[in-house]
C-alpha cells in the first residue's frame, strides 16, 4: 500500500465529509427560513380567515400566502366549480360535492407535505453514513500507518502515535458532520408533523363550513346598477319610481 494512495483516500474522505457538512448547514438554513415563513403565513391567514363574518367573506381574502391559504384556495375554487352548473361527464366529477371537495383538499395537502419534506432525505442520508465514511478513512489511514511501521521496523510510540492519530481525525470529522444532520432532520420532522396536523384540522373545519353553507360559494362580481325608468320627464330608479306612485295614490 503506497503512501500516495493512502494520502489520496484519506484526503478524499475528509473533503467528502467537509462537502457533506456544507450541504447539511445549507439545508438547515434553507429549511429553517422555510418553516419561519410558513408559520408566519399560516398564523396570518388563520387569523383573517376565522375573523371573516362568513365563508363568503373569507373567500374574498386577497394576497394570502402559505400552505393553509393554498388549501383554502383549492377548496373555494372547487366549491365555485361544482356550483357553476356546467355539465361534466368525466370521472373526477362522479363524486358528490363533499367527496370531491375532500379529495381536492387532500391532494393539495399532499403537495404541501412534499414541499415540507424536500431535502430531509439528504439530511437523513448524511446523518446515517457520515460516521461510516469517517471510519473508512480512519481504517485506511491506520492500515497505511501500520504498513509504514512494518517497513521501518520500529514500533516505538513516536512512530505509531503520529500516523494513527492523523487517521483518527477522519472519524472525528464524520461524527461532527453526522450530529447536526441528525438533529436537523429530527427537528424538521417534528415541525412537519405540527404543520400537517394544523392543515388536517383546517381541512376538516373547511369541509364542515362548506357543508353548513350547502357547498355554495358565490363568485365575486360587481353590483349591478339599478335600472332607470322615465317618469314625469326625469329618470329615476325603478324602486324610487314605485315609491312615488304609491305616494300619489295615497294622496288621491
Amino acid at each position: 500500500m503506497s503512501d500516495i494512495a493512502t494520502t489520496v483516500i484519506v484526503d478524499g474522505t475528509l473533503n467528502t465529509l467537509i462537502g457533506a457538512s456544507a450541504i447539511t448547514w445549507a439545508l438547515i438554513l434553507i429549511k429553517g427560513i422555510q418553516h419561519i415563513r410558513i408559520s408566519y403565513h399560516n398564523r396570518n391567514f388563520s387569523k383573517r380567515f376565522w375573523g371573516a363574518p362568513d365563508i363568503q367573506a373569507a373567500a374574498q381574502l386577497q394576497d394570502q400566502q402559505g400552505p393553509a391559504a393554498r388549501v383554502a384556495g383549492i377548496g373555494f375554487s372547487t366549491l365555485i366549480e361544482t356550483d357553476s352548473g356546467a355539465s361534466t361527464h368525466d370521472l373526477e366529477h362522479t363524486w358528490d360535492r363533499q367527496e370531491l371537495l375532500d379529495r381536492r383538499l387532500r391532494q393539495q395537502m399532499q403537495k404541501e407535505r412534499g414541499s415540507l419534506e424536500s431535502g430531509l432525505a439528504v439530511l437523513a442520508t448524511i446523518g446515517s453514513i457520515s460516521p461510516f465514511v469517517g471510519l473508512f478513512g480512519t481504517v485506511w489511514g491506520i492500515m497505511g500507518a501500520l504498513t509504514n511501521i512494518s517497513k521501518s521496523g520500529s514500533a516505538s510510540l513516536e512512530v505509531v502515535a503520529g500516523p494513527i492519530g492523523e487517521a483518527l481525525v477522519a472519524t472525528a470529522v464524520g461524527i461532527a458532520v453526522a450530529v447536526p444532520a441528525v438533529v436537523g432532520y429530527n427537528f424538521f420532522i417534528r415541525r412537519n408533523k405540527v404543520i400537517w396536523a394544523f392543515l388536517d384540522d383546517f381541512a376538516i373545519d373547511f369541509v364542515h363550513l362548506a357543508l353548513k353553507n350547502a357547498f355554495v360559494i358565490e363568485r365575486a362580481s360587481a353590483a349591478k346598477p339599478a335600472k332607470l325608468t322615465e317618469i314625469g320627464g326625469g329618470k329615476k330608479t325603478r324602486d324610487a319610481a314605485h315609491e312615488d306612485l304609491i305616494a300619489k295614490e295615497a294622496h288621491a
Side-chain angles (χ1 to χ4, degrees):
M1 184 182 299
S2 65
D3 294 339
I4 296 177
T6 300
T7 302
V8 169
I9 293 176
V10 173
D11 289 347
T13 300
L14 291 175
N15 291 333
T16 301
L17 291 173
I18 291 172
S21 178
I23 294 173
T24 296
W25 286 107
L27 284 174
I28 290 175
L29 178 62
I30 293 172
K31 299 300 291 186
I33 295 174
Q34 180 190 29
H35 278 264
I36 291 174
R37 289 169 58 89
I38 287 174
S39 298
Y40 170 76
H41 290 312
N42 279 349
R43 287 196 304 268
N44 183 55
F45 176 77
S46 180
K47 182 179 179 180
R48 295 190 62 185
F49 181 88
W50 295 112
D54 52 41
I55 193 172
Q56 185 65 43
Q60 307 304 322
L61 295 177
Q62 301 294 328
D63 301 327
Q64 297 301 301
Q65 301 178 13
R70 288 189 288 269
V71 170
I74 289 295
F76 288 130
S77 63
T78 301
L79 293 178
I80 293 174
E81 176 186 338
T82 56
D83 193 49
S84 62
S87 58
T88 53
H89 303 285
D90 54 2
L91 288 176
E92 186 177 11
H93 295 84
T94 55
W95 291 290
D96 59 26
R97 290 182 177 181
Q98 182 173 352
E99 291 174 337
L100 181 60
L101 176 62
D102 185 72
R103 178 174 178 269
R104 293 277 183 86
L105 292 176
R106 292 295 170 183
Q107 287 176 339
Q108 183 61 35
M109 289 171 62
Q110 290 298 331
K111 292 179 182 179
E112 299 298 335
R113 187 172 189 172
S115 176
L116 289 171
E117 292 179 349
S118 62
L120 295 186
V122 178
L123 287 179
T125 301
I126 292 175
S128 299
I129 69 173
S130 291
F132 299 103
V133 173
L135 184 60
F136 169 77
T138 295
V139 171
W140 197 277
I142 291 175
M143 289 171 58
L146 293 177
T147 301
N148 293 333
I149 291 171
S150 64
K151 290 180 179 179
S152 65
S154 174
S156 63
L157 182 62
E158 292 80 3
V159 176
V160 175
I164 293 180
E166 292 177 358
L168 290 173
V169 172
T171 298
V173 173
I175 296 174
V177 172
V179 170
V182 173
V183 172
Y185 174 80
N186 291 333
F187 173 79
F188 291 123
I189 284 292
R190 174 59 184 167
R191 288 296 306 164
N192 287 352
K193 290 180 179 179
V194 173
I195 295 173
W196 179 258
F198 172 82
L199 293 179
D200 188 60
D201 291 340
F202 179 79
I204 294 174
D205 292 339
F206 188 94
V207 173
H208 289 169
L209 285 174
L211 180 62
K212 183 179 179 180
N213 288 269
F215 300 99
V216 175
I217 293 292
E218 298 178 0
R219 293 177 180 270
S221 59
K224 295 182 179 180
K227 189 174 182 179
L228 298 179
T229 182
E230 294 187 5
I231 294 182
K235 291 186 177 181
K236 297 183 179 180
T237 63
R238 178 175 295 177
D239 292 340
H242 183 65
E243 290 176 358
D244 289 347
L245 290 175
I246 292 176
K248 289 180 180 179
E249 291 177 357
H251 287 85

